[in-house]
Amino acid sequence: MWRRFAHLSLSISRTKLQSLVRDPTVLKLINTFSSDAGNDGVASSRKPFITFVLGGPGSGKGTQCEKIASIFGFAHLSAGELLREEMSSPSENGELIRNVIKEGKIVPSAITISLIKRAINSATSDKILIDGFPRSEENRIAFEKIIGVEPDLVIFFECPEEEMVKRILGRNQGRIDDNMETIRKRLKVFEDLNMPVVEHYSSKGKVHKITATGTVDEIFERVRQVFASLRYLKACLSF
Ligand SMILES: Nc1ncnc2c1ncn2[C@@H]1O[C@H](COP(=O)(O)OP(=O)(O)OP(=O)(O)O)[C@@H](O)[C@H]1O
Ligand SMILES: Nc1ccn([C@@H]2O[C@H](COP(=O)(O)O)[C@@H](O)[C@H]2O)c(=O)n1
Ligand SMILES: [Mg+2]
């Protein structure tokens, strides 16, 4: 392992490198990109690098994902957006999805996962951001079972409730769930069902918690550091 990093000895300290290499996300990255280079003969370049992006309603997931996608070349799949598209198409699930979203509840996993699976298969990047999924332990367990992988990384945007409410009420995109009655329900669902998912992945060392207050650019600077360190490691491993 250390021979791969020998050429870096002038630019990075051994201690820093050791701490990076102990990070579980970096370990996965090393395994993924090492095999890209053909070291173990596994064609893992077809295996996507999956990042779940979580946070309460209005915490800024979509806003930050767009920036990550444009700067780091990720495909951005928003579970909520996929459901809204399905709801507006002549789909057999359209009415059900509309009712669930209006109530701020969680759409059955089988529906959401089939939309995510289709989107992953047609993504043009093998680095995927899944925004707003999994929303519950049921979502998480179903994804791991049906898709057969765990995320490589989880980004969690931590934002105070009053800030999230203010942002949603100012969003003005005509969403059927951007009203105070539904927002209250979404906040409760987030605490009751989504936080256990964050705790699950935290216990596995996969979560990068980002303070989601401040300007969009200030928050992105925190996010950028996470992805820049991954890109740096990837660049090192490509030599
Ligand atoms: N740092 C910020 N400061 C002020 N407004 C912001 C910030 N980040 C995002 N916004 C705005 O807040 C609103 C919600 O942001 P966004 O849609 O990205 O959140 P989200 O987490 O995807 O929400 P949802 O879960 O409801 O889809 C948008 O109108 C967005 O422009
Ligand atoms: N995994 C998911 C994601 C979303 N939903 C439903 O869509 C609504 C909007 O989601 P956003 O991420 O765009 O806020 C959400 O409140 C849920 O009703 C879902 O069921 N499952
Ligand atoms: Mg969103």
Side-chain angles (χ1 to χ4, degrees):
M1 162 70 69
W2 292 109
R3 264 178 300 147
R4 284 194 204 149
F5 297 108
H7 65 285
L8 288 169
S9 56
L10 291 177
S11 57
I12 186 167
S13 74
R14 185 184 175 95
T15 317
K16 172 77 180 156
L17 207 46
Q18 279 171 332
S19 72
L20 281 171
V21 169
R22 272 195 297 268
D23 183 298
T25 304
V26 172
L27 272 175
K28 167 71 195 306
L29 198 69
I30 288 169
N31 290 333
T32 304
F33 288 100
S34 297
S35 45
D36 275 355
N39 294 335
D40 63 4
V42 177
S44 68
S45 58
R46 301 281 82 82
K47 194 173 165 198
F49 184 88
I50 292 186
T51 300
F52 285 159
V53 181
L54 302 179
S59 58
K61 301 178 294 295
T63 304
Q64 295 297 326
C65 280
E66 280 178 25
K67 292 176 85 73
I68 301 166
S70 84
I71 290 177
F72 292 100
F74 277 70
H76 172 202
L77 317 183
S78 158
E81 204 55 53
L82 290 169
L83 288 167
R84 282 187 288 278
E85 279 166 19
E86 187 71 0
M87 175 181 96
S88 308
S89 71
S91 142
E92 52 172 331
N93 295 317
E95 198 51 31
L96 181 152
I97 295 171
R98 176 179 299 278
N99 291 335
V100 173
I101 289 182
K102 183 93 181 60
E103 282 304 304
K105 294 183 178 161
I106 306 296
V107 173
S109 296
I111 296 176
T112 314
I113 292 168
S114 80
L115 298 173
I116 291 175
K117 192 174 172 184
R118 196 166 66 194
I120 291 177
N121 287 337
S122 52
T124 50
S125 172
D126 60 358
K127 292 175 286 180
I128 312 272
L129 295 172
I130 308 185
D131 160 4
F133 184 94
R135 282 295 232 279
S136 64
E137 280 289 273
E138 195 242 334
N139 263 185
R140 176 186 72 73
I141 291 162
F143 180 91
E144 291 179 359
K145 191 166 169 214
I146 296 169
I147 308 290
V149 291
E150 286 194 17
D152 300 298
L153 177 67
V154 178
I155 300 289
F156 170 51
F157 289 108
E158 192 175 49
C159 193
E161 272 195 19
E162 64 271 22
E163 178 64 20
M164 297 195 279
V165 172
K166 193 171 94 188
R167 288 182 191 173
I168 295 175
L169 292 177
R171 180 155 52 189
N172 227 2
Q173 285 177 356
R175 277 176 51 168
I176 55 169
D177 53 349
D178 280 357
N179 58 79
M180 209 48 232
E181 193 188 340
T182 313
I183 293 170
R184 272 194 213 99
K185 294 176 180 166
R186 289 159 71 194
L187 287 168
K188 177 149 175 48
V189 165
F190 169 66
E191 276 304 321
D192 293 350
L193 301 183
N194 205 181
M195 280 311 288
V197 176
V198 176
E199 280 149 22
H200 171 83
Y201 287 126
S202 292
S203 74
K204 302 192 118 194
K206 293 191 175 201
V207 175
H208 282 262
K209 187 159 77 176
I210 305 282
T211 300
T213 48
T215 65
V216 169
D217 287 346
E218 283 165 351
I219 298 164
F220 185 65
E221 180 49 30
R222 296 169 202 142
V223 173
R224 196 194 59 76
Q225 287 176 18
V226 174
F227 288 93
S229 65
L230 295 180
R231 186 164 69 177
Y232 177 67
L233 255 289
K234 175 186 180 300
C236 296
L237 291 161
S238 306
F239 279 104

